[in-house]
Amino acid sequence: MFHIYCPHCCEYREEEEFHASGQAHIPRPLDPDACTDQEWGEYMYFRKNPRGIHHELWVHAAGCRKFFNITRDTQTYEIKEVYKIGEQPSVVANSDQ
Amino acid sequence: MQHYSGFGLLKHSFSHHENWQRVWRNPTPKKKYDVIIVGGGGHGLATAYYLAKEFGVTNVAVIEKGFLGGGNTARNTTIVRSNYLWDEAAHLYEHAMKLWEGLSQDLNYNVMFSQRGCLNLGHTLQDMRDIERRVNANRLNGIDGEVLDAQQVQEIVPVLDCSDRARYPVMGASWQPRAGVARHDAVAWGFARGADAHGVDLIQQTEVQDLIIEDGTVVGVRTAQYGEIRADRVGCVVAGNSSVLAKMGGFELPLESHPLQALVSEPIKPILDTVVMSNHVHGYASQSDKGDLVIGAGIDGYNGYGQRGSYSTIEHTIQAVLEMFPVFSRVRMNRQWGGIVDTCPDACPIISETPVKNLFFNCGWGTGGFKATPGSGHVFAASLAKGEMHELAKPFSMFRFHNGALVDEHGAAGVAH
Ligand SMILES: Cc1cc2nc3c(=O)[nH]c(=O)nc-3n(C[C@H](O)[C@H](O)[C@H](O)COP(=O)(O)OP(=O)(O)OC[C@H]3O[C@@H](n4cnc5c(N)ncnc54)[C@H](O)[C@@H]3O)c2cc1C
Ligand SMILES: [Zn+2]
């Protein structure tokens, strides 16, 4: 059970108010028509799935209904940081540095 | 291998059951194998068994980081059925169903496969249309199935709330009589024992820490205890850890690993003699031979490798099951646990070649791979033996996510099962 800090409401709320929306920082291809099948497939279906540090998009679904990002360890489930859309994470996995 | 029989049981009772042979050896790995299977769950063990027994490849090792069958194989709710919508998936799961039907005899090990039938309930007009379509598709594929109305459902399961007082009244169901449950541990142990008897080395407590790749070809695996173990071909069957192994191979898979939880009640007298699932209310239940109600529902929404999920998910599961079976409201729950399921965007598995030569993956079974265990092992073994994918496996290539030939089974996969 997570206790999640919503950076918009500036409060800790229970996990049930939130909804996990998968990997964060996925840029939509600027020119979709120019993508190869492989590039488009990767954009559509391939997600980072690390055992360890993961950057994820969450939405405060039963609260302010705004999106934000969480850096979380998928092994220990520890939430490392919470940051707004457009910001960059300060905690990153060693392999991504 | 010591043959099991009723007579053997009687014979051993005279020596107080103290002289049974060990079920498998505990070998030190060789330097080199023809095939290494990474992951000693049901699918990995079945692969090794069929490799040795059907395809004559006996120089095989299964490398398991924990104990055999301790992953999702030991954590699932054991529903077996084959009523999937699309031809590709239906053929694959029905291939497994046919193997299930003779499995205890084939393995000389009682996997307690019980064809007690499975109901997939419909609660809306659209549910019923989907059910009709799926059952018709099943029948065209030679898979048993019937569409039942609410009254027929009530006759099969008297304790199910089929009244119109329910929040989502039951309108009908699909019914697959050949579906059922099996004993998950026995499946892993039976395949392990059979594989060992055919010469397969089962290496436990040994984590594969890296794949050894030379010139784009896999040539073995690296472990802490035994260093490098070489092989001509490597098959990874590691369920929730597939993305971790793929990363060792230098590529990504379209998978996400989620916690999936289940729970069992205290044992009660026989009350439910079939499997009842509802996509709409989102829960399912059956009763084990011991008497406990076996209950499950959906995944936790976030990625997780921790083999545990959130309490709120359990609460929703219980709510759903009580909505279907108000009569269970005072049954106490005994145990609750989680596994890590590797969910795939089209709710179908990946049984595939990879960008690395001689490296194969069998994964993406997500919430519903137990039912496929023998079939998955069989087609993967055939593919590893020949170095070329089996006909039934071809539609499940990982490259379908590049060319768009997805096999969308979200409807039939529905509630995690
Ligand atoms: C709660 C729950 C309920 C379910 N209910 C059903 C159901 O009712 N019906 C159904 O059909 N399916 C169900 N499933 C899904 C089913 O359990 C799985 O699809 C199936 O068991 C997968 O089998 P497997 O052998 O591929 O994986 P596993 O049994 O998980 O085996 C993978 C093995 O790989 C090992 N491993 C991982 N990494 C490494 C490494 N680096 N080195 C060595 N070994 C490694 C693991 O330790 C593990 O033992 C359920 C799953 C869960 C979690
Ligand atoms: Zn908020």
Side-chain angles (χ1 to χ4, degrees), chain B residues 42-43 64-65 72-73 76-77 79 208 367-371 417:
Chain B
H43 289 229
E64 165 57 50
K65 74 172 172 182
N72 290 347
T73 300
N76 78 89
T77 48
I79 300 169
V208 168
T367 60
F370 177 72
K371 63 177 69 66
H417 48 289

Side-chain angles (χ1 to χ4, degrees), chain A residues 57-95:
Chain A
L57 186 65
W58 285 69
V59 57
H60 195 177
C64 62
R65 304 183 63 193
K66 289 183 185 154
F67 285 85
F68 59 95
N69 297 322
I70 289 183
T71 304
R72 197 172 59 88
D73 187 321
T74 60
Q75 179 74 51
T76 63
Y77 294 3
E78 188 194 344
I79 294 175
K80 302 283 189 189
E81 64 179 339
V82 168
Y83 56 101
K84 289 189 184 154
I85 302 291
E87 294 175 0
Q88 289 302 313
S90 61
V91 182
V92 290
N94 290 335
S95 56

